[in-house]
Amino acid sequence: DNKDLEVCSTVFSGETETMKTKWSKLQEMEKKLYLEIITGVKELDEFDRFVEEWMEAGGDQITLEVTEAVREAKGLDFTEGLCKNKIR
């Protein structure tokens, strides 16, 4: 029991503007790489490069949009990586 800890729900089930145009391509990239890793076509080390490419292809913008949507909907503050509920 730590009374200083707080559970913050950050579930997002919507669709951002960038998701509308780039999400299917990002999912396609994911599925392709996962299959290539599982079947041995690519090494697991490829994943770090994939993340960079995924972020550059729109993943970084989607991450920002989702974070902002959750923040607005839940009244959360992610300052310094901490989840603090501003609504008490």
mmCIF file of all heavy atoms in Angstrom, residues 1-53:
data_model
loop_
_atom_site.group_PDB
_atom_site.id
_atom_site.type_symbol
_atom_site.label_atom_id
_atom_site.label_comp_id
_atom_site.label_asym_id
_atom_site.label_seq_id
_atom_site.Cartn_x
_atom_site.Cartn_y
_atom_site.Cartn_z
ATOM 1 N N ASP A 1 0.825 -1.194 0.000
ATOM 2 C CA ASP A 1 0.000 0.000 0.000
ATOM 3 C C ASP A 1 0.868 1.255 0.000
ATOM 4 O O ASP A 1 1.433 1.620 1.015
ATOM 5 C CB ASP A 1 -0.898 0.046 1.236
ATOM 6 C CG ASP A 1 -2.085 -0.881 1.099
ATOM 7 O OD1 ASP A 1 -2.670 -0.904 0.004
ATOM 8 O OD2 ASP A 1 -2.411 -1.561 2.085
ATOM 9 N N ASN A 2 0.925 1.905 -1.117
ATOM 10 C CA ASN A 2 1.646 3.165 -1.204
ATOM 11 C C ASN A 2 0.645 4.232 -1.598
ATOM 12 O O ASN A 2 0.212 4.307 -2.739
ATOM 13 C CB ASN A 2 2.789 3.076 -2.210
ATOM 14 C CG ASN A 2 3.682 4.289 -2.156
ATOM 15 O OD1 ASN A 2 3.272 5.361 -1.729
ATOM 16 N ND2 ASN A 2 4.909 4.114 -2.596
ATOM 17 N N LYS A 3 0.312 5.074 -0.664
ATOM 18 C CA LYS A 3 -0.711 6.094 -0.907
ATOM 19 C C LYS A 3 -0.230 7.192 -1.844
ATOM 20 O O LYS A 3 -1.020 7.996 -2.310
ATOM 21 C CB LYS A 3 -1.180 6.666 0.422
ATOM 22 C CG LYS A 3 -1.891 5.634 1.280
ATOM 23 C CD LYS A 3 -2.363 6.252 2.575
ATOM 24 C CE LYS A 3 -2.897 5.356 3.563
ATOM 25 N NZ LYS A 3 -3.508 4.261 3.646
ATOM 26 N N ASP A 4 1.082 7.221 -2.140
ATOM 27 C CA ASP A 4 1.623 8.223 -3.059
ATOM 28 C C ASP A 4 1.455 7.818 -4.514
ATOM 29 O O ASP A 4 1.657 8.625 -5.412
ATOM 30 C CB ASP A 4 3.105 8.457 -2.777
ATOM 31 C CG ASP A 4 3.334 9.084 -1.415
ATOM 32 O OD1 ASP A 4 2.430 9.793 -0.930
ATOM 33 O OD2 ASP A 4 4.403 8.848 -0.842
ATOM 34 N N LEU A 5 1.106 6.560 -4.766
ATOM 35 C CA LEU A 5 0.934 6.085 -6.129
ATOM 36 C C LEU A 5 -0.497 6.287 -6.596
ATOM 37 O O LEU A 5 -1.439 6.171 -5.824
ATOM 38 C CB LEU A 5 1.295 4.606 -6.231
ATOM 39 C CG LEU A 5 2.747 4.247 -5.939
ATOM 40 C CD1 LEU A 5 2.922 2.741 -6.035
ATOM 41 C CD2 LEU A 5 3.681 4.948 -6.898
ATOM 42 N N GLU A 6 -0.631 6.570 -7.867
ATOM 43 C CA GLU A 6 -1.954 6.776 -8.436
ATOM 44 C C GLU A 6 -2.047 6.040 -9.765
ATOM 45 O O GLU A 6 -1.109 6.066 -10.556
ATOM 46 C CB GLU A 6 -2.183 8.273 -8.677
ATOM 47 C CG GLU A 6 -3.518 8.593 -9.276
ATOM 48 C CD GLU A 6 -3.708 10.093 -9.460
ATOM 49 O OE1 GLU A 6 -2.888 10.872 -8.974
ATOM 50 O OE2 GLU A 6 -4.697 10.452 -10.103
ATOM 51 N N VAL A 7 -3.148 5.364 -10.003
ATOM 52 C CA VAL A 7 -3.374 4.673 -11.265
ATOM 53 C C VAL A 7 -3.932 5.676 -12.262
ATOM 54 O O VAL A 7 -4.889 6.388 -11.981
ATOM 55 C CB VAL A 7 -4.358 3.498 -11.084
ATOM 56 C CG1 VAL A 7 -4.661 2.856 -12.428
ATOM 57 C CG2 VAL A 7 -3.801 2.495 -10.100
ATOM 58 N N CYS A 8 -3.314 5.723 -13.434
ATOM 59 C CA CYS A 8 -3.775 6.625 -14.490
ATOM 60 C C CYS A 8 -4.175 5.793 -15.698
ATOM 61 O O CYS A 8 -3.358 5.084 -16.266
ATOM 62 C CB CYS A 8 -2.674 7.594 -14.893
ATOM 63 S SG CYS A 8 -2.181 8.732 -13.608
ATOM 64 N N SER A 9 -5.412 5.870 -16.091
ATOM 65 C CA SER A 9 -5.881 5.158 -17.267
ATOM 66 C C SER A 9 -5.559 5.977 -18.504
ATOM 67 O O SER A 9 -5.950 7.135 -18.614
ATOM 68 C CB SER A 9 -7.389 4.926 -17.176
ATOM 69 O OG SER A 9 -7.836 4.330 -18.363
ATOM 70 N N THR A 10 -4.821 5.379 -19.418
ATOM 71 C CA THR A 10 -4.441 6.090 -20.634
ATOM 72 C C THR A 10 -4.913 5.335 -21.880
ATOM 73 O O THR A 10 -4.256 5.334 -22.899
ATOM 74 C CB THR A 10 -2.922 6.296 -20.691
ATOM 75 O OG1 THR A 10 -2.296 5.009 -20.591
ATOM 76 C CG2 THR A 10 -2.436 7.182 -19.569
ATOM 77 N N VAL A 11 -6.067 4.730 -21.779
ATOM 78 C CA VAL A 11 -6.616 3.970 -22.901
ATOM 79 C C VAL A 11 -7.113 4.935 -23.972
ATOM 80 O O VAL A 11 -7.762 5.936 -23.679
ATOM 81 C CB VAL A 11 -7.769 3.063 -22.420
ATOM 82 C CG1 VAL A 11 -8.426 2.373 -23.591
ATOM 83 C CG2 VAL A 11 -7.256 2.055 -21.410
ATOM 84 N N PHE A 12 -6.795 4.626 -25.233
ATOM 85 C CA PHE A 12 -7.237 5.444 -26.360
ATOM 86 C C PHE A 12 -7.843 4.516 -27.397
ATOM 87 O O PHE A 12 -7.223 3.541 -27.805
ATOM 88 C CB PHE A 12 -6.055 6.197 -26.975
ATOM 89 C CG PHE A 12 -6.441 7.021 -28.166
ATOM 90 C CD1 PHE A 12 -7.044 8.246 -28.002
ATOM 91 C CD2 PHE A 12 -6.210 6.555 -29.444
ATOM 92 C CE1 PHE A 12 -7.402 9.013 -29.102
ATOM 93 C CE2 PHE A 12 -6.565 7.310 -30.556
ATOM 94 C CZ PHE A 12 -7.160 8.540 -30.379
ATOM 95 N N SER A 13 -9.047 4.812 -27.821
ATOM 96 C CA SER A 13 -9.696 3.953 -28.813
ATOM 97 C C SER A 13 -10.201 4.740 -30.011
ATOM 98 O O SER A 13 -10.984 4.232 -30.796
ATOM 99 C CB SER A 13 -10.859 3.191 -28.164
ATOM 100 O OG SER A 13 -11.820 4.106 -27.680
ATOM 101 N N GLY A 14 -9.751 5.963 -30.162
ATOM 102 C CA GLY A 14 -10.208 6.796 -31.270
ATOM 103 C C GLY A 14 -9.315 6.687 -32.485
ATOM 104 O O GLY A 14 -8.551 5.735 -32.650
ATOM 105 N N GLU A 15 -9.414 7.685 -33.344
ATOM 106 C CA GLU A 15 -8.603 7.755 -34.548
ATOM 107 C C GLU A 15 -8.158 9.197 -34.727
ATOM 108 O O GLU A 15 -8.991 10.103 -34.770
ATOM 109 C CB GLU A 15 -9.404 7.290 -35.764
ATOM 110 C CG GLU A 15 -8.611 7.295 -37.040
ATOM 111 C CD GLU A 15 -9.410 6.775 -38.222
ATOM 112 O OE1 GLU A 15 -10.521 7.297 -38.464
ATOM 113 O OE2 GLU A 15 -8.933 5.859 -38.881
ATOM 114 N N THR A 16 -6.861 9.400 -34.820
ATOM 115 C CA THR A 16 -6.336 10.755 -35.004
ATOM 116 C C THR A 16 -6.327 11.107 -36.495
ATOM 117 O O THR A 16 -6.514 10.234 -37.350
ATOM 118 C CB THR A 16 -4.906 10.879 -34.444
ATOM 119 O OG1 THR A 16 -4.017 10.147 -35.293
ATOM 120 C CG2 THR A 16 -4.822 10.384 -33.013
ATOM 121 N N GLU A 17 -6.072 12.373 -36.786
ATOM 122 C CA GLU A 17 -6.020 12.801 -38.189
ATOM 123 C C GLU A 17 -4.939 12.055 -38.963
ATOM 124 O O GLU A 17 -5.155 11.630 -40.091
ATOM 125 C CB GLU A 17 -5.785 14.314 -38.269
ATOM 126 C CG GLU A 17 -6.993 15.145 -37.885
ATOM 127 C CD GLU A 17 -8.220 14.847 -38.738
ATOM 128 O OE1 GLU A 17 -8.090 14.803 -39.986
ATOM 129 O OE2 GLU A 17 -9.304 14.640 -38.168
ATOM 130 N N THR A 18 -3.782 11.889 -38.358
ATOM 131 C CA THR A 18 -2.692 11.191 -39.038
ATOM 132 C C THR A 18 -3.004 9.711 -39.201
ATOM 133 O O THR A 18 -2.647 9.106 -40.217
ATOM 134 C CB THR A 18 -1.368 11.389 -38.284
ATOM 135 O OG1 THR A 18 -1.135 12.795 -38.133
ATOM 136 C CG2 THR A 18 -0.197 10.776 -39.019
ATOM 137 N N MET A 19 -3.700 9.126 -38.242
ATOM 138 C CA MET A 19 -4.095 7.723 -38.365
ATOM 139 C C MET A 19 -4.954 7.506 -39.605
ATOM 140 O O MET A 19 -4.837 6.460 -40.260
ATOM 141 C CB MET A 19 -4.885 7.273 -37.135
ATOM 142 C CG MET A 19 -4.069 6.986 -35.928
ATOM 143 S SD MET A 19 -5.193 6.579 -34.562
ATOM 144 C CE MET A 19 -4.134 5.579 -33.564
ATOM 145 N N LYS A 20 -5.790 8.464 -39.918
ATOM 146 C CA LYS A 20 -6.696 8.324 -41.067
ATOM 147 C C LYS A 20 -5.923 8.109 -42.356
ATOM 148 O O LYS A 20 -6.403 7.413 -43.253
ATOM 149 C CB LYS A 20 -7.582 9.562 -41.192
ATOM 150 C CG LYS A 20 -8.596 9.686 -40.086
ATOM 151 C CD LYS A 20 -9.396 10.968 -40.217
ATOM 152 C CE LYS A 20 -10.321 11.144 -39.027
ATOM 153 N NZ LYS A 20 -11.043 12.427 -39.070
ATOM 154 N N THR A 21 -4.749 8.703 -42.464
ATOM 155 C CA THR A 21 -4.005 8.622 -43.719
ATOM 156 C C THR A 21 -2.805 7.683 -43.673
ATOM 157 O O THR A 21 -2.366 7.214 -44.716
ATOM 158 C CB THR A 21 -3.509 10.021 -44.140
ATOM 159 O OG1 THR A 21 -2.676 10.554 -43.100
ATOM 160 C CG2 THR A 21 -4.674 10.958 -44.400
ATOM 161 N N LYS A 22 -2.283 7.397 -42.476
ATOM 162 C CA LYS A 22 -1.035 6.638 -42.412
ATOM 163 C C LYS A 22 -1.100 5.334 -41.629
ATOM 164 O O LYS A 22 -0.181 4.519 -41.701
ATOM 165 C CB LYS A 22 0.069 7.521 -41.816
ATOM 166 C CG LYS A 22 0.339 8.731 -42.682
ATOM 167 C CD LYS A 22 1.523 9.510 -42.217
ATOM 168 C CE LYS A 22 1.749 10.668 -43.186
ATOM 169 N NZ LYS A 22 2.974 11.363 -42.936
ATOM 170 N N TRP A 23 -2.163 5.100 -40.874
ATOM 171 C CA TRP A 23 -2.209 3.945 -39.990
ATOM 172 C C TRP A 23 -2.110 2.616 -40.744
ATOM 173 O O TRP A 23 -1.383 1.712 -40.325
ATOM 174 C CB TRP A 23 -3.466 3.986 -39.136
ATOM 175 C CG TRP A 23 -3.465 2.959 -38.050
ATOM 176 C CD1 TRP A 23 -4.297 1.889 -37.935
ATOM 177 C CD2 TRP A 23 -2.593 2.893 -36.918
ATOM 178 N NE1 TRP A 23 -3.998 1.170 -36.803
ATOM 179 C CE2 TRP A 23 -2.943 1.764 -36.156
ATOM 180 C CE3 TRP A 23 -1.525 3.683 -36.470
ATOM 181 C CZ2 TRP A 23 -2.294 1.396 -35.000
ATOM 182 C CZ3 TRP A 23 -0.872 3.321 -35.306
ATOM 183 C CH2 TRP A 23 -1.259 2.194 -34.587
ATOM 184 N N SER A 24 -2.821 2.470 -41.853
ATOM 185 C CA SER A 24 -2.793 1.185 -42.575
ATOM 186 C C SER A 24 -1.391 0.884 -43.092
ATOM 187 O O SER A 24 -0.943 -0.275 -43.039
ATOM 188 C CB SER A 24 -3.815 1.151 -43.701
ATOM 189 O OG SER A 24 -3.526 2.118 -44.676
ATOM 190 N N LYS A 25 -0.669 1.882 -43.553
ATOM 191 C CA LYS A 25 0.706 1.677 -44.023
ATOM 192 C C LYS A 25 1.614 1.283 -42.860
ATOM 193 O O LYS A 25 2.458 0.389 -42.986
ATOM 194 C CB LYS A 25 1.221 2.948 -44.703
ATOM 195 C CG LYS A 25 2.670 2.891 -45.114
ATOM 196 C CD LYS A 25 2.921 1.846 -46.181
ATOM 197 C CE LYS A 25 4.377 1.898 -46.633
ATOM 198 N NZ LYS A 25 4.719 0.795 -47.489
ATOM 199 N N LEU A 26 1.441 1.925 -41.704
ATOM 200 C CA LEU A 26 2.252 1.591 -40.536
ATOM 201 C C LEU A 26 1.978 0.166 -40.069
ATOM 202 O O LEU A 26 2.903 -0.569 -39.725
ATOM 203 C CB LEU A 26 1.986 2.588 -39.406
ATOM 204 C CG LEU A 26 2.467 4.021 -39.675
ATOM 205 C CD1 LEU A 26 1.962 4.958 -38.595
ATOM 206 C CD2 LEU A 26 3.966 4.081 -39.792
ATOM 207 N N GLN A 27 0.724 -0.242 -40.080
ATOM 208 C CA GLN A 27 0.379 -1.618 -39.696
ATOM 209 C C GLN A 27 0.975 -2.625 -40.681
ATOM 210 O O GLN A 27 1.446 -3.686 -40.285
ATOM 211 C CB GLN A 27 -1.131 -1.784 -39.615
ATOM 212 C CG GLN A 27 -1.729 -1.120 -38.404
ATOM 213 C CD GLN A 27 -3.227 -1.371 -38.314
ATOM 214 O OE1 GLN A 27 -3.945 -1.215 -39.294
ATOM 215 N NE2 GLN A 27 -3.685 -1.762 -37.146
ATOM 216 N N GLU A 28 0.946 -2.273 -41.953
ATOM 217 C CA GLU A 28 1.516 -3.129 -42.985
ATOM 218 C C GLU A 28 3.024 -3.304 -42.751
ATOM 219 O O GLU A 28 3.564 -4.407 -42.860
ATOM 220 C CB GLU A 28 1.264 -2.495 -44.354
ATOM 221 C CG GLU A 28 1.729 -3.303 -45.533
ATOM 222 C CD GLU A 28 1.424 -2.577 -46.840
ATOM 223 O OE1 GLU A 28 0.283 -2.134 -47.026
ATOM 224 O OE2 GLU A 28 2.356 -2.455 -47.643
ATOM 225 N N MET A 29 3.697 -2.205 -42.417
ATOM 226 C CA MET A 29 5.133 -2.258 -42.112
ATOM 227 C C MET A 29 5.391 -3.192 -40.928
ATOM 228 O O MET A 29 6.332 -3.992 -40.957
ATOM 229 C CB MET A 29 5.666 -0.853 -41.778
ATOM 230 C CG MET A 29 5.742 0.098 -42.946
ATOM 231 S SD MET A 29 6.129 1.807 -42.425
ATOM 232 C CE MET A 29 7.757 1.605 -41.694
ATOM 233 N N GLU A 30 4.563 -3.070 -39.888
ATOM 234 C CA GLU A 30 4.721 -3.911 -38.690
ATOM 235 C C GLU A 30 4.568 -5.387 -39.035
ATOM 236 O O GLU A 30 5.421 -6.205 -38.683
ATOM 237 C CB GLU A 30 3.667 -3.549 -37.643
ATOM 238 C CG GLU A 30 3.904 -2.269 -36.921
ATOM 239 C CD GLU A 30 2.779 -1.967 -35.941
ATOM 240 O OE1 GLU A 30 2.272 -2.904 -35.288
ATOM 241 O OE2 GLU A 30 2.406 -0.802 -35.836
ATOM 242 N N LYS A 31 3.462 -5.724 -39.680
ATOM 243 C CA LYS A 31 3.187 -7.126 -40.005
ATOM 244 C C LYS A 31 4.307 -7.737 -40.846
ATOM 245 O O LYS A 31 4.714 -8.872 -40.618
ATOM 246 C CB LYS A 31 1.854 -7.244 -40.746
ATOM 247 C CG LYS A 31 0.657 -6.987 -39.871
ATOM 248 C CD LYS A 31 -0.617 -7.036 -40.684
ATOM 249 C CE LYS A 31 -1.808 -6.593 -39.868
ATOM 250 N NZ LYS A 31 -3.033 -6.537 -40.668
ATOM 251 N N LYS A 32 4.795 -6.956 -41.815
ATOM 252 C CA LYS A 32 5.859 -7.440 -42.691
ATOM 253 C C LYS A 32 7.112 -7.747 -41.886
ATOM 254 O O LYS A 32 7.716 -8.816 -42.032
ATOM 255 C CB LYS A 32 6.151 -6.411 -43.780
ATOM 256 C CG LYS A 32 7.210 -6.849 -44.755
ATOM 257 C CD LYS A 32 7.393 -5.818 -45.863
ATOM 258 C CE LYS A 32 8.358 -6.346 -46.905
ATOM 259 N NZ LYS A 32 9.568 -5.608 -47.017
ATOM 260 N N LEU A 33 7.529 -6.835 -41.041
ATOM 261 C CA LEU A 33 8.739 -7.060 -40.264
ATOM 262 C C LEU A 33 8.560 -8.215 -39.287
ATOM 263 O O LEU A 33 9.446 -9.058 -39.154
ATOM 264 C CB LEU A 33 9.174 -5.814 -39.503
ATOM 265 C CG LEU A 33 10.424 -6.052 -38.656
ATOM 266 C CD1 LEU A 33 11.655 -6.178 -39.535
ATOM 267 C CD2 LEU A 33 10.605 -4.999 -37.614
ATOM 268 N N TYR A 34 7.435 -8.255 -38.582
ATOM 269 C CA TYR A 34 7.213 -9.344 -37.632
ATOM 270 C C TYR A 34 7.305 -10.696 -38.335
ATOM 271 O O TYR A 34 7.926 -11.629 -37.829
ATOM 272 C CB TYR A 34 5.856 -9.211 -36.938
ATOM 273 C CG TYR A 34 5.715 -7.983 -36.063
ATOM 274 C CD1 TYR A 34 4.460 -7.523 -35.704
ATOM 275 C CD2 TYR A 34 6.805 -7.280 -35.588
ATOM 276 C CE1 TYR A 34 4.304 -6.399 -34.892
ATOM 277 C CE2 TYR A 34 6.669 -6.160 -34.781
ATOM 278 C CZ TYR A 34 5.415 -5.732 -34.431
ATOM 279 O OH TYR A 34 5.271 -4.629 -33.628
ATOM 280 N N LEU A 35 6.698 -10.815 -39.500
ATOM 281 C CA LEU A 35 6.745 -12.070 -40.249
ATOM 282 C C LEU A 35 8.177 -12.395 -40.660
ATOM 283 O O LEU A 35 8.621 -13.544 -40.554
ATOM 284 C CB LEU A 35 5.838 -11.989 -41.476
ATOM 285 C CG LEU A 35 5.779 -13.239 -42.335
ATOM 286 C CD1 LEU A 35 5.234 -14.421 -41.530
ATOM 287 C CD2 LEU A 35 4.925 -12.996 -43.561
ATOM 288 N N GLU A 36 8.916 -11.388 -41.106
ATOM 289 C CA GLU A 36 10.296 -11.609 -41.524
ATOM 290 C C GLU A 36 11.179 -12.037 -40.353
ATOM 291 O O GLU A 36 12.067 -12.873 -40.514
ATOM 292 C CB GLU A 36 10.859 -10.354 -42.191
ATOM 293 C CG GLU A 36 10.234 -10.082 -43.544
ATOM 294 C CD GLU A 36 10.667 -8.757 -44.142
ATOM 295 O OE1 GLU A 36 11.077 -7.832 -43.407
ATOM 296 O OE2 GLU A 36 10.581 -8.639 -45.382
ATOM 297 N N ILE A 37 10.934 -11.482 -39.179
ATOM 298 C CA ILE A 37 11.705 -11.877 -37.995
ATOM 299 C C ILE A 37 11.334 -13.299 -37.579
ATOM 300 O O ILE A 37 12.207 -14.131 -37.318
ATOM 301 C CB ILE A 37 11.500 -10.874 -36.839
ATOM 302 C CG1 ILE A 37 12.184 -9.547 -37.169
ATOM 303 C CG2 ILE A 37 12.045 -11.439 -35.537
ATOM 304 C CD1 ILE A 37 11.907 -8.427 -36.173
ATOM 305 N N ILE A 38 10.044 -13.584 -37.540
ATOM 306 C CA ILE A 38 9.583 -14.917 -37.117
ATOM 307 C C ILE A 38 10.093 -16.009 -38.053
ATOM 308 O O ILE A 38 10.476 -17.088 -37.609
ATOM 309 C CB ILE A 38 8.040 -14.947 -37.024
ATOM 310 C CG1 ILE A 38 7.587 -14.087 -35.842
ATOM 311 C CG2 ILE A 38 7.517 -16.373 -36.900
ATOM 312 C CD1 ILE A 38 6.098 -13.812 -35.814
ATOM 313 N N THR A 39 10.111 -15.722 -39.345
ATOM 314 C CA THR A 39 10.529 -16.737 -40.314
ATOM 315 C C THR A 39 12.045 -16.759 -40.528
ATOM 316 O O THR A 39 12.544 -17.579 -41.305
ATOM 317 C CB THR A 39 9.829 -16.520 -41.672
ATOM 318 O OG1 THR A 39 10.146 -15.203 -42.153
ATOM 319 C CG2 THR A 39 8.334 -16.702 -41.549
ATOM 320 N N GLY A 40 12.768 -15.874 -39.857
ATOM 321 C CA GLY A 40 14.224 -15.875 -39.958
ATOM 322 C C GLY A 40 14.791 -15.113 -41.125
ATOM 323 O O GLY A 40 16.003 -15.124 -41.354
ATOM 324 N N VAL A 41 13.951 -14.447 -41.897
ATOM 325 C CA VAL A 41 14.434 -13.647 -43.021
ATOM 326 C C VAL A 41 15.254 -12.462 -42.515
ATOM 327 O O VAL A 41 16.258 -12.084 -43.119
ATOM 328 C CB VAL A 41 13.255 -13.163 -43.904
ATOM 329 C CG1 VAL A 41 13.716 -12.201 -44.976
ATOM 330 C CG2 VAL A 41 12.537 -14.364 -44.501
ATOM 331 N N LYS A 42 14.830 -11.901 -41.395
ATOM 332 C CA LYS A 42 15.552 -10.782 -40.774
ATOM 333 C C LYS A 42 15.859 -11.124 -39.328
ATOM 334 O O LYS A 42 15.123 -11.876 -38.686
ATOM 335 C CB LYS A 42 14.732 -9.494 -40.847
ATOM 336 C CG LYS A 42 14.592 -8.959 -42.256
ATOM 337 C CD LYS A 42 14.172 -7.527 -42.273
ATOM 338 C CE LYS A 42 14.165 -7.035 -43.720
ATOM 339 N NZ LYS A 42 13.764 -5.657 -43.820
ATOM 340 N N GLU A 43 16.921 -10.540 -38.828
ATOM 341 C CA GLU A 43 17.322 -10.725 -37.442
ATOM 342 C C GLU A 43 16.517 -9.787 -36.541
ATOM 343 O O GLU A 43 16.055 -8.735 -36.983
ATOM 344 C CB GLU A 43 18.812 -10.427 -37.280
ATOM 345 C CG GLU A 43 19.717 -11.377 -38.035
ATOM 346 C CD GLU A 43 19.667 -12.783 -37.476
ATOM 347 O OE1 GLU A 43 19.596 -12.928 -36.241
ATOM 348 O OE2 GLU A 43 19.702 -13.729 -38.283
ATOM 349 N N LEU A 44 16.411 -10.139 -35.284
ATOM 350 C CA LEU A 44 15.710 -9.305 -34.309
ATOM 351 C C LEU A 44 16.346 -7.925 -34.190
ATOM 352 O O LEU A 44 15.673 -6.941 -33.901
ATOM 353 C CB LEU A 44 15.679 -10.004 -32.943
ATOM 354 C CG LEU A 44 14.891 -9.337 -31.836
ATOM 355 C CD1 LEU A 44 13.440 -9.114 -32.257
ATOM 356 C CD2 LEU A 44 14.950 -10.168 -30.571
ATOM 357 N N ASP A 45 17.638 -7.842 -34.473
ATOM 358 C CA ASP A 45 18.338 -6.557 -34.426
ATOM 359 C C ASP A 45 17.746 -5.528 -35.392
ATOM 360 O O ASP A 45 17.952 -4.326 -35.233
ATOM 361 C CB ASP A 45 19.824 -6.742 -34.757
ATOM 362 C CG ASP A 45 20.544 -7.556 -33.696
ATOM 363 O OD1 ASP A 45 19.996 -7.713 -32.590
ATOM 364 O OD2 ASP A 45 21.664 -8.025 -33.973
ATOM 365 N N GLU A 46 17.026 -5.978 -36.392
ATOM 366 C CA GLU A 46 16.391 -5.076 -37.358
ATOM 367 C C GLU A 46 15.288 -4.233 -36.728
ATOM 368 O O GLU A 46 14.873 -3.224 -37.286
ATOM 369 C CB GLU A 46 15.792 -5.876 -38.521
ATOM 370 C CG GLU A 46 16.805 -6.450 -39.459
ATOM 371 C CD GLU A 46 17.459 -5.389 -40.324
ATOM 372 O OE1 GLU A 46 16.783 -4.446 -40.772
ATOM 373 O OE2 GLU A 46 18.678 -5.514 -40.537
ATOM 374 N N PHE A 47 14.807 -4.666 -35.571
ATOM 375 C CA PHE A 47 13.663 -3.990 -34.962
ATOM 376 C C PHE A 47 13.967 -2.538 -34.630
ATOM 377 O O PHE A 47 13.118 -1.659 -34.847
ATOM 378 C CB PHE A 47 13.185 -4.730 -33.710
ATOM 379 C CG PHE A 47 11.913 -4.178 -33.153
ATOM 380 C CD1 PHE A 47 10.702 -4.457 -33.768
ATOM 381 C CD2 PHE A 47 11.922 -3.349 -32.053
ATOM 382 C CE1 PHE A 47 9.516 -3.926 -33.281
ATOM 383 C CE2 PHE A 47 10.740 -2.814 -31.552
ATOM 384 C CZ PHE A 47 9.540 -3.109 -32.162
ATOM 385 N N ASP A 48 15.149 -2.239 -34.125
ATOM 386 C CA ASP A 48 15.492 -0.849 -33.787
ATOM 387 C C ASP A 48 15.429 0.050 -35.020
ATOM 388 O O ASP A 48 14.924 1.170 -34.951
ATOM 389 C CB ASP A 48 16.868 -0.769 -33.135
ATOM 390 C CG ASP A 48 16.879 -1.370 -31.741
ATOM 391 O OD1 ASP A 48 15.801 -1.443 -31.107
ATOM 392 O OD2 ASP A 48 17.958 -1.785 -31.293
ATOM 393 N N ARG A 49 15.947 -0.435 -36.135
ATOM 394 C CA ARG A 49 15.885 0.348 -37.379
ATOM 395 C C ARG A 49 14.435 0.519 -37.832
ATOM 396 O O ARG A 49 14.023 1.585 -38.285
ATOM 397 C CB ARG A 49 16.713 -0.319 -38.466
ATOM 398 C CG ARG A 49 16.974 0.653 -39.628
ATOM 399 C CD ARG A 49 17.839 0.059 -40.676
ATOM 400 N NE ARG A 49 16.912 -0.429 -41.702
ATOM 401 C CZ ARG A 49 17.196 -1.331 -42.586
ATOM 402 N NH1 ARG A 49 18.351 -1.909 -42.596
ATOM 403 N NH2 ARG A 49 16.312 -1.708 -43.467
ATOM 404 N N PHE A 50 13.662 -0.561 -37.684
ATOM 405 C CA PHE A 50 12.243 -0.500 -38.033
ATOM 406 C C PHE A 50 11.532 0.587 -37.230
ATOM 407 O O PHE A 50 10.736 1.346 -37.775
ATOM 408 C CB PHE A 50 11.572 -1.853 -37.792
ATOM 409 C CG PHE A 50 10.081 -1.754 -37.674
ATOM 410 C CD1 PHE A 50 9.292 -1.564 -38.792
ATOM 411 C CD2 PHE A 50 9.460 -1.798 -36.433
ATOM 412 C CE1 PHE A 50 7.918 -1.448 -38.691
ATOM 413 C CE2 PHE A 50 8.091 -1.683 -36.313
ATOM 414 C CZ PHE A 50 7.318 -1.500 -37.446
ATOM 415 N N VAL A 51 11.801 0.658 -35.925
ATOM 416 C CA VAL A 51 11.140 1.668 -35.081
ATOM 417 C C VAL A 51 11.442 3.067 -35.608
ATOM 418 O O VAL A 51 10.539 3.908 -35.704
ATOM 419 C CB VAL A 51 11.564 1.529 -33.604
ATOM 420 C CG1 VAL A 51 11.057 2.704 -32.778
ATOM 421 C CG2 VAL A 51 11.042 0.220 -33.028
ATOM 422 N N GLU A 52 12.676 3.328 -35.976
ATOM 423 C CA GLU A 52 13.034 4.639 -36.538
ATOM 424 C C GLU A 52 12.233 4.922 -37.801
ATOM 425 O O GLU A 52 11.706 6.023 -37.978
ATOM 426 C CB GLU A 52 14.526 4.693 -36.830
ATOM 427 C CG GLU A 52 15.391 4.718 -35.586
ATOM 428 C CD GLU A 52 16.874 4.686 -35.902
ATOM 429 O OE1 GLU A 52 17.253 4.932 -37.075
ATOM 430 O OE2 GLU A 52 17.660 4.417 -34.984
ATOM 431 N N GLU A 53 12.164 3.941 -38.687
ATOM 432 C CA GLU A 53 11.421 4.104 -39.940
ATOM 433 C C GLU A 53 9.932 4.290 -39.672
ATOM 434 O O GLU A 53 9.271 5.107 -40.322
ATOM 435 C CB GLU A 53 11.646 2.899 -40.851
ATOM 436 C CG GLU A 53 13.058 2.800 -41.372
ATOM 437 C CD GLU A 53 13.320 1.506 -42.135
ATOM 438 O OE1 GLU A 53 12.378 0.696 -42.327
ATOM 439 O OE2 GLU A 53 14.481 1.295 -42.535
#
